[in-house]
Every structure is written in structure tokens, then in C-alpha cells.
Amino acid sequence: MAEFDYDVLVIGAGPGGYVAAIRAAQLGLRTACAESRETLGGTCLNVGCIPSKALLHASEKYEEVSSGLLAKYGVKVKGAELDLDDMMDEKKKVVSSLTGGIEFLFKKNKVEWLKGLATFKDAHSVEVAGKTVTAKNVVIATGSSVTPLPGVEIDNAKGIVVDSTGALDLEKVPGHMVVIGGGVIGLELGSVWRRLGAKVTVVEYLDQILPGMDGDVRKEAAKLFAKQGFAIKTGTKVTGVEVKGKKAKVSVEPAAGGEGETIEADVVLVAIGRKPNTDGLGLDKIGLAVNQRGQIETDHEFATAVSGVWAIGDVIPGPMLAHKAEDEGVAVAENIAGLTGIVNHDVIPAVVYTHPEIASVGLTEEQAKEKGKVKVGKFMMLANSRAKANDDTDGFVKIIADADTDRVLGVHIIASVAGTMIAQAAQAMEFGATSEDIAYTCHAHPTHSEAVKEAAMAVLGKPIHM
Ligand code: FAD
Ligand code: NAI
């Protein structure tokens, strides 16, 4: 009889956990995955990436039609109507088809789903729904949840002060939505409800939105969102939220101190970041401590300080992104199987799925300049023929390269399809490309991607179309 019930037990079936479980099973390891949700797929598939993108897509269609934007193409629509229930039904269909897909993949790859909350008893024993199972290796992939704002009570069921999960499920379009936090969630979900008719005010503590992004991108994004009708209050802190009947009163004041004001809202979305999920896991039972930010630290193989216990995804340091979690899922399974699983954390793209999209990979100009001398090339989407043909010319491509070696250090894009364009930049950087490599690669015409080539030419000092 085997010493352990499983070779690998993964805790959490988000993009990190489900991918780790499938890859481990593909490598011939006896694998189980504990998940306490009713459906697989974690935050991303259930209440994150997928439902938000479904609503972003649907709301973009609605805005195109209802705003008369299509009229210039001769597409004249009268009396566009919003049926929010239908829009939400469509979102639910997409979510359940994808979460069901993971269940199918588990069956296909013989990954056993242990339904329930998992708690460590010791490093190789985990209790799931009252039953103890043993595993030679345990992978912690418990993800993250919303960071609460002290003194502000989130109640998604009431639908007045909500987090992202509540904001994906509102029953009607709010008259006024106040978003606390000018980060990714605030701008994506703020865009959804603005397109559907809400007035949206974003309250951001720092003096610019989208912290961590390239300075030029942050400036341009703020301009574009303001043009779209967002009211953006930067350098402003929320001191309290009071709910009275069906309205909320948001008290704000300048972050640096000064006179405050009250903003009335129908819905308040709290989106000030996410925190790793480790409560109730029983880490104390295995002697595993978390760092100051509540994250589990690992080495580059994703092994924790406790032998046989590994960790990946949002619960460990690094950007909280689904594709980062997935890549770590593959790598950890390969490492457990005795292969070499590596993730290059210097080349993880990030995309904000607003319109236009905002995408980046590698160092910002500010970060690159701290490390040494750089060359920067920029190409405006206004000079890109495909963007022109589509009359969708907001944004730019910016490439930062090492001044001496010409090696590409970072790429930042604002463009309608920036999320798709960033893949070539990530691949180029993964292969150690120079801006000359990109500039002399033939790009199809007319495509948005030609702007990447032209930005690379700008690094060398010779763009053609600008
Ligand atoms: P999670 O997806 O959080 O999964 C962890 C799972 O573990 C959960 O299902 C949880 O129920 C389960 N779990 C936790 N503790 C236990 C336990 N003790 N026992 C059993 N099960 C447990 N990222 C992108 O890259 N692109 C996007 O477009 C994007 N959009 C997003 C939109 C929103 C609104 C949000 C909130 C997030 C978005 N993200 C996006 C981030 C992305 O969802 C996360 O980075 C990703 O889900 C992290 O994967 P994970 O596997 O680490 O954790
Ligand atoms: P975020 O970190 O992107 O943004 C939070 C914002 O809130 C920051 O601008 C921060 O300065 C601000 N803030 C913090 N405290 C504040 C306060 N008290 N008052 C006002 N502003 C305050 O976090 P967000 O938007 O909650 O998203 C969480 C994470 O989820 C993201 O970091 C990202 O990893 C992931 N995500 C990714 C998406 C994508 O890839 N497209 C989409 C949505 C979420």
C-alpha cells in the first residue's frame, strides 16, 4: 500500500491550483485538489477575470449602439434598450461553461476534487470536510480576497457598499457609483457601469491612478478616462461611508489633510487591493509563517520553508494575476515531478481591459532609469493605419531599451487591442530581443502591431510614419 493517499494534494482550484493539479496528473502523479467553492476555477473564473470581461464586452456593445457611435458608419439604431437581466444571464452562462470545463478537465486527467475547506493537520495530512487525507506534496494555491477598508462594511447582498463580487452582480444600473481605489478593478468595473449609464466617481488616495504603471501611461490613462466621463479625485482619502436607506454618504478629504466633503452615492465599490488567503489554513500546525504582507514566501521552485509544502499564485509574492498563477501551477507540478519548472517573473504582462486597453511588460521608464541609461521610443496610435481605419486612435506604444545593449527592458501600450499586442513584446523580451530585432521583424499591414515595430524604430531614432 502507498505511504500517502496522493502524491500531490493541491489546496484551491483557481488558475494556479487547477493548472498545477492537471499538470501533476499529466505527469503521472496521483493528484487531488481541495476546493471549498461550489464550482472550480477560483476567483478568476467565478468572480474575477471572466465575469468582468463578459460584462466589459457586453457593456461596450451597449455603449456602441446606445450612444449613436455607430451612426457614422451608416449603422443607425433607434431606441436601444438595456435588459440588465439578459446581460447578467449571458455572463452567468459564460462563467458556468468555463467552470464546468475545468470539472471536465479534472475528470479527463483523473484529478480527484475533494469538496470542502482544507486545513493542515501536519505537513502531509490535510482535513477536508471532516475527512483527513495524506499527500507526499501539498501545494497551497488558496488565492486572495478583497482588502477591507477599515470602518466600511461591505454588504454585497444589499448592493449598496460592495466589493468586486457585488459589483459584478448589481440588480440595476446605479445613478451614481463611487469607486474607492483607482486601480484595475475600479477602472474596469467603473467602465462597465459608466457605459451602462451610471455617473462614476473614482476616489484614489495617491496623486495618480494605476499605481505601479509607467508614468506616461498613468498620465495618458487619466486623461482618457476623464474624457470618457469618469470623475477622478486623486490625492483623496475616504474617511467613512454611511448607509441611509438606499443611499450611501461617502466622506472624503484631501489625503494631505484639509477640508472634507460628502459625496452621495447609490453604490460604493471598495477596490483598494486584495490580500492573500491564509486564514483557517492551519499554517501554525506546520510551523509555516507568513511575511509582513500576509504572503507565503517560497524559493524559485515554489517550495516553502516546510519540506513537502509548496505555494503558488496570489498567496505568494508577485503580481496577483491569473496567468502568473497558471505558469506557477505548471512549474510547481514539474518541480514536484523532478523536472525543472521555471517562471520568469521579470516578464509577466499585465493588462487593464478598459477601452482603450492598457498593457505593460517589464520595467517602467522610471524603474529602468534607476538601473542605468535607457533609450525610449514612442509611437502614437494616431499614426497607425489600422487604428485610423477603425477610427480608434487613442494611445501609444512605448518601448524602453538599454542604452548600450539595445536590449528591450519594458513595453507599455495604450491601444484598443493592447492586451493582444503585449504578447509579442513579452515573447521578444523572453527571447532577449533588442529593439532592432523588433524593428526589423516584418509585421503584417495594416495591423495595430505595426505600432510596436514603429516604436522599436523610434528607439533607434527612425520611425517611418511619424
Ligand atoms: P484564486 O483564483 O483566488 O483561487 C483560490 C481558490 O482557493 C478559491 O476558489 C478558494 O475558494 C479556494 N480556497 C481558498 N482557501 C481554501 C481552503 N482552505 N480549502 C479549499 N479551498 C480553498 N487576473 C488576470 O490575470 N486577468 C484579469 O482579467 C483579472 N481580472 C480580475 C477581475 C476581478 C474582479 C478580480 C477580483 C480579479 C481579477 N484577476 C485577473 C486576478 C485573478 O483572478 C487572480 O490573480 C487569480 O484568480 C489568482 O489565482 P489563484 O489560483 O492564486 O487563486
Ligand atoms: P489595485 O492594487 O489595482 O488598486 C487599488 C487602488 O486603491 C490603488 O490605486 C491604491 O492606491 C488605492 N487605494 C488603496 N487604499 C486606498 C484608500 N484607502 N482610499 C483610496 N484609494 C486607495 O487593486 P484592485 O483594483 O482592488 O485589484 C486587486 C488586484 O486584482 C489587482 O492588483 C490585480 O492584481 C487583480 N486584478 C487584475 C485585473 C486584470 O489583470 N485585468 C483586473 C482586476 C483585478
Side-chain angles (χ1 to χ4, degrees):
M1 210 173 104
E3 191 186 347
F4 298 103
D5 298 330
Y6 304 100
D7 297 317
V8 182
L9 168 64
V10 182
I11 305 179
Y18 84 70
V19 167
I22 290 173
R23 188 76 186 120
Q26 285 173 345
L27 293 169
L29 301 169
R30 292 170 305 132
T31 307
C33 182
E35 171 56 61
S36 53
R37 264 177 221 275
E38 292 297 307
T39 46
L40 301 172
T43 304
C44 179
L45 273 62
N46 288 284
V47 290
C49 330
I50 299 305
S52 60
K53 265 78 261 179
L55 288 185
L56 277 159
H57 177 73
S59 61
E60 196 170 351
K61 297 278 164 222
Y62 173 72
E63 190 181 35
E64 268 176 12
V65 173
S66 65
S67 66
L69 219 73
L70 298 179
K72 68 180 175 197
Y73 302 112
V75 183
K76 296 187 179 150
V77 185
K78 277 199 192 116
E81 258 179 65
L82 172 66
D83 188 325
L84 190 59
D85 290 341
D86 281 356
M87 196 178 274
M88 291 293 176
D89 281 351
E90 195 55 30
K91 173 204 69 175
K92 281 181 202 148
K93 264 191 237 160
V94 172
V95 168
S96 60
S97 122
L98 287 172
T99 56
I102 308 300
E103 208 171 329
F104 165 79
L105 289 175
F106 268 18
K107 285 187 185 132
K108 184 176 163 201
N109 289 285
K110 301 197 170 45
V111 174
E112 196 178 331
W113 175 7
L114 308 177
K115 294 186 188 182
L117 207 65
T119 312
F120 278 104
K121 295 187 91 177
D122 63 48
H124 299 284
S125 316
V126 174
E127 187 177 306
V128 187
K131 192 177 161 219
T132 299
V133 293
T134 60
K136 188 168 179 201
N137 297 281
V138 181
V139 180
I140 303 172
T142 47
S144 64
S145 46
V146 67
T147 303
L149 183 58
V152 177
E153 198 187 322
I154 290 167
D155 187 342
N156 286 334
K158 245 190 186 169
I160 300 175
V161 182
V162 298
D163 60 17
S164 54
T165 302
L168 286 166
D169 231 1
L170 297 179
E171 281 170 6
K172 61 178 196 178
V173 180
H176 186 200
M177 172 182 256
V178 170
V179 179
I180 308 178
V184 195
I185 291 181
L187 294 169
E188 287 189 0
L189 295 182
S191 289
V192 166
W193 294 106
R194 186 201 56 72
R195 292 168 185 171
L196 298 181
K199 176 181 174 213
V200 177
T201 302
V202 175
V203 181
E204 166 60 47
Y205 185 81
L206 300 175
D207 51 8
Q208 269 188 304
I209 57 169
L210 293 171
M213 290 221 160
D214 184 88
D216 268 351
V217 168
R218 294 174 80 182
K219 235 184 280 162
E220 183 67 13
K223 224 165 55 191
L224 292 172
F225 290 125
K227 198 168 91 183
Q228 291 174 8
F230 275 92
I232 300 179
K233 284 177 168 293
T234 51
T236 304
K237 71 176 171 208
V238 172
T239 52
V241 177
E242 192 191 347
V243 177
K244 268 212 176 127
K246 291 200 165 353
K247 297 264 183 196
K249 284 195 167 148
V250 184
S251 304
V252 300
E253 60 180 50
E259 205 172 313
E261 60 170 315
T262 305
I263 311 171
E264 196 165 278
D266 303 287
V267 170
V268 178
L269 163 59
V270 181
I272 58 164
R274 293 177 64 81
K275 62 180 177 61
N277 287 332
T278 53
D279 286 353
L281 245 187
L283 293 184
D284 51 326
K285 301 264 179 47
I286 59 170
L288 187 58
V290 294
N291 67 15
Q292 269 189 333
R293 305 187 64 193
Q295 298 155 327
I296 297 174
E297 299 271 359
T298 68
D299 64 12
H300 67 280
E301 293 190 325
F302 307 103
T304 70
V306 177
S307 173
V309 179
W310 312 71
I312 54 167
D314 280 10
V315 79
I316 73 168
M320 288 181 163
L321 296 172
H323 41 280
K324 177 244 185 201
E326 286 187 54
D327 285 10
E328 290 176 349
V330 170
V332 78
E334 292 179 349
N335 288 326
I336 289 171
L339 306 172
T340 307
I342 295 171
V343 177
N344 179 3
H345 285 103
D346 292 335
V347 184
I348 303 223
V351 182
V352 186
Y353 295 87
T354 46
H355 189 94
E357 293 177 347
I358 304 168
S360 69
V361 62
L363 300 178
T364 62
E365 185 176 345
E366 296 77 16
Q367 290 168 333
K369 279 184 170 159
E370 270 176 29
K371 290 181 188 254
K373 279 173 80 182
V374 300
K375 299 183 288 185
V376 177
K378 205 167 166 185
F379 188 80
M380 305 306 288
M381 293 310 292
L382 193 64
N384 171 267
S385 56
R386 185 63 181 277
K388 268 293 221 203
N390 292 0
D391 192 20
D392 200 355
T393 54
D394 284 333
F396 56 77
V397 176
K398 174 175 172 180
I399 297 184
I400 300 143
D402 185 288
D404 299 325
T405 64
D406 192 36
R407 190 172 172 151
V408 177
L409 303 173
V411 179
H412 306 275
I413 307 176
I414 302 187
S416 58
V417 290
T420 304
M421 293 161 74
I422 203 71
Q424 81 160 98
Q427 193 160 41
M429 285 179 64
E430 194 64 49
F431 292 171
T434 59
S435 64
E436 191 177 42
D437 291 328
I438 298 177
Y440 287 94
T441 299
C442 188
H443 286 60
H445 176 76
T447 58
H448 294 86
S449 298
E450 284 175 290
V452 178
K453 176 188 168 99
E454 295 256 20
M457 290 170 119
V459 174
L460 305 173
K462 46 181 181 183
I464 297 286
H465 293 99
M466 211 173 73

